[in-house]
Amino acid sequence: MAKKVKAVVKVQIPAGKATAAPPVGTALGPHGINMGAFIKEYNDKTASMVGSVVPVVVTIFEDRSFTFVTKSPPAADLIRKEAGIEKGSPQPNKSLVGKISKAQVRKIAEMKQNDLNANTVESAMRMVEGTARSMGVEVTA
Amino acid sequence: MPSAAEKPAAPIRWIEIAVPAHPEAVEAVSEILDRVGYNGIAVDVPLEGGPHIVKAYVVYDHAARVKVRRVKEAIGRLRAFGLGPVGEVALRRIADEDWLESWKSQFTPIAIGPFFVRPSWSTASAAGIEIVLDPGMAFGTGLHPTTRQCLEAVGRLDLAGRSVLDVGTGSGILAVAAAKRGAGRVVAVDVDPLAVRAAEENARRNDVSVEVALGSAADVPGAFDVVLGNLVADVLVRIAADLRARVARGGVLVCAGIVAEKEALVVRALADAGLARRRRDQREDWVRLDLA
C-alpha cells in the first residue's frame, strides 16, 4: 500500500549549499524528517550544478520518510538569462531593466510547463510573462 | 544584527515572510521573496487545492524592516501584472533551536588527517589534534568532501609561525585547524554574518586566536603565507585576482569546492592572476588545488 503523504514542500536554494539554516531548516524541520540526510542528499545530487539555483520538491510521508525530485531552474533565472541581465528591477513600474520576446517567453514556458502545473503552454506563458513584467523585464512582440 | 560579542547562547531569531499565492503567481512571488530571503525560499504546496504559501526568512536585525517593506511594495505591484490572486503578506518571528536538533544528530566525531573533529555536544575522545566544533548554521562540519580536502591540506602544510587567511570561513573549521597547528596570525572572513558569528564562537571554543571579520579577500589588507579558499568555482573565478593579491611571496593558495567539470575555468582564472597549480586532489566530484 502506498505511503500516505503528509506534506509537499518546494525548496529553492543554491545547488550544493543546503544547510540547516532557513529556508531548509524552517521548511522541513517542523515535518520531523531527518534533515541531515536531506542536506547531504541535496548537496550530493546538485554538486555538479553549483552556481545555479536548483529547486527541489520534497514529498514527506506520514512515517517521516521523504523523497525529492529536482526541478527546472526558477522562471526568474531563465528570464534573467534570456534578457541578459543580472537582476530584476526594484521598481518595475518605473524602470525597465531588459526585454524578452514572445518567442523567448514561449521557450521558457515550454521548459517550465510541467513544473508550473500549467495545462497549456499558453497558460505557462502567462505565468512567465507576469513574472517577467514584475521583474521590470518588458515582453516584446 | 546581534553583536558577535554577545553570548553564544543567544538564539538567532528570524522573521518568516509568508505570502499565499495562486499557482499562476508562485514563480513571480518566489522571485520577489528570493530578493530578500536568506539562502533562497520555500513553498508549501497544498495537498488539495488552495493557495501555495511562498516563504522566505530574513535575519531579525535592523535591516529586516526595510526588507519586509520592499516585499510588501513589490507584492502590491504584482497584483497589476495579471497573474492569479496573491494574498496578504504575513509575518512571524521565530527562533532556530528546534529544527537544529535533528541536524546535530547527524554530525558525529570524525578523524580527518591529523585532526579529530568533535561536535561540541559530543564527549568522544581520540588521538589527534582536537577541533571542537558547533557549526551552527554555517557550512563546514568536516562531513563534506571539500572541507575534508582542505583540512588534510592544513594538516600537511608547515604552518608554524606562518600567517594564514581563510576566505569564506563558514564554521571557521579551517581557521581553527590552522591556529591549532601553530600558525602565527590567522584571519578568517566570510560574507555571511551567521558564518562570522559561528567562526568566532568556534575559535573561542577551541581557545585559539582567530581574527574573524565580515567580508571577502578584497577586504583584507596585506599578504599571507597561506590563503585558504574553500568556496565554489564561480566565486573562485570571480575573486581570483583578489586571492592572488593576498598570497605573499613564496606563499600558497589552497582552494577547493571546485566541481571537477569547472576545474579548467578556475585553473585558467588563477593562472591569469599569476598562480600556477602545484598539487591537485580529487574526492568524488570535488577538486582541491594548491597553487603558488
Side-chain angles (χ1 to χ4, degrees), chain A residues 10 12-13 35 47 75 90 126, chain B residues 24 27 39 41 43 77 259:
Chain A
K10 183 167 91 166
Q12 199 166 292
I13 49 175
M35 217 166 27
R126 201 166 56 244
Chain B
E24 247 182 39
E27 290 280 334
N39 206 33
I41 54 120
V43 183
R77 282 193 293 267
V259 177

Side-chain angles (χ1 to χ4, degrees), chain B residues 214-277:
Chain B
L214 188 67
S216 185
D219 304 311
V220 184
F224 295 77
D225 299 316
V226 177
V227 178
L228 306 168
N230 185 16
L231 301 159
V232 297
D234 294 10
V235 175
L236 289 168
V237 168
R238 199 167 68 234
I239 67 168
D242 298 331
L243 288 169
R244 170 68 190 94
R246 299 285 83 80
V247 180
R249 187 183 293 267
V252 60
L253 169 68
V254 176
C255 54
I258 306 161
V259 177
E261 66 190 46
K262 293 197 175 172
E263 180 183 358
L265 289 174
V266 176
V267 170
R268 196 179 318 136
L270 290 167
D272 289 348
L275 289 167
R277 188 170 63 187

Side-chain angles (χ1 to χ4, degrees), chain B:
Chain B
M1 185 67 207
S3 154
E6 276 178 24
K7 291 287 172 206
I12 295 166
R13 298 199 178 273
W14 301 82
I15 292 183
E16 178 187 83
I17 307 174
V19 183
H22 184 276
E24 247 182 39
V26 166
E27 290 280 334
V29 172
S30 299
E31 190 274 325
I32 290 168
L33 291 194
D34 196 33
R35 295 179 204 167
V36 300
Y38 181 85
N39 206 33
I41 54 120
V43 183
D44 285 346
V45 180
L47 295 180
E48 296 168 7
H52 290 55
I53 313 285
V54 186
K55 294 175 177 174
Y57 298 85
V58 298
V59 176
Y60 186 35
D61 61 8
H62 62 275
R65 204 188 319 175
V66 177
K67 290 177 182 169
V68 168
R69 196 181 65 224
R70 280 197 199 131
V71 167
K72 284 184 172 175
E73 287 169 0
I75 294 290
R77 282 193 293 267
L78 188 60
R79 297 189 175 103
F81 293 119
L83 295 163
V86 176
E88 291 302 315
V89 176
L91 304 176
R92 188 164 68 101
R93 203 182 303 175
I94 48 174
D96 57 24
E97 303 89 348
D98 298 344
W99 68 82
L100 277 177
E101 290 308 311
S102 62
W103 167 233
K104 285 181 174 178
S105 69
Q106 300 303 307
F107 175 32
T108 50
I110 182 172
I112 302 166
F115 303 104
F116 175 65
V117 184
R118 171 171 75 79
S120 56
W121 53 90
S122 162
T123 54
S125 65
I129 304 170
E130 187 179 71
I131 299 174
V132 185
L133 199 72
D134 185 338
M137 284 163 294
F139 194 76
T141 58
L143 296 177
H144 200 278
T146 65
T147 313
R148 282 205 297 272
Q149 287 174 309
C150 289
L151 267 183
E152 285 166 7
V154 171
R156 178 178 44 77
L157 291 166
D158 175 16
L159 295 180
R162 304 182 82 193
S163 57
V164 177
L165 170 66
D166 181 14
V167 180
T169 192
S171 65
I173 184 171
L174 301 179
V176 168
K180 287 235 168 183
R181 285 218 56 234
R185 181 180 178 222
V186 182
V187 177
V189 290
D190 203 298
V191 294
D192 181 348
L194 295 182
V196 168
R197 179 178 158 134
E200 280 174 331
E201 287 172 8
N202 283 320
R204 263 199 301 275
R205 196 169 270 127
N206 287 277
D207 202 20
V208 293
S209 169
V210 177
E211 299 166 38
V212 189
L214 188 67
S216 185
D219 304 311
V220 184
F224 295 77
D225 299 316
V226 177
V227 178
L228 306 168
N230 185 16
L231 301 159
V232 297
D234 294 10
V235 175
L236 289 168
V237 168
R238 199 167 68 234
I239 67 168
D242 298 331
L243 288 169
R244 170 68 190 94
R246 299 285 83 80
V247 180
R249 187 183 293 267
V252 60
L253 169 68
V254 176
C255 54
I258 306 161
V259 177
E261 66 190 46
K262 293 197 175 172
E263 180 183 358
L265 289 174
V266 176
V267 170
R268 196 179 318 136
L270 290 167
D272 289 348
L275 289 167
R277 188 170 63 187
R278 295 281 184 259
R279 191 186 265 259
R280 176 184 186 279
D281 177 74
Q282 181 163 358
R283 204 78 45 89
E284 298 166 27
D285 284 339
W286 300 94
V287 174
R288 188 199 77 215
L289 301 171
D290 299 0
L291 307 101

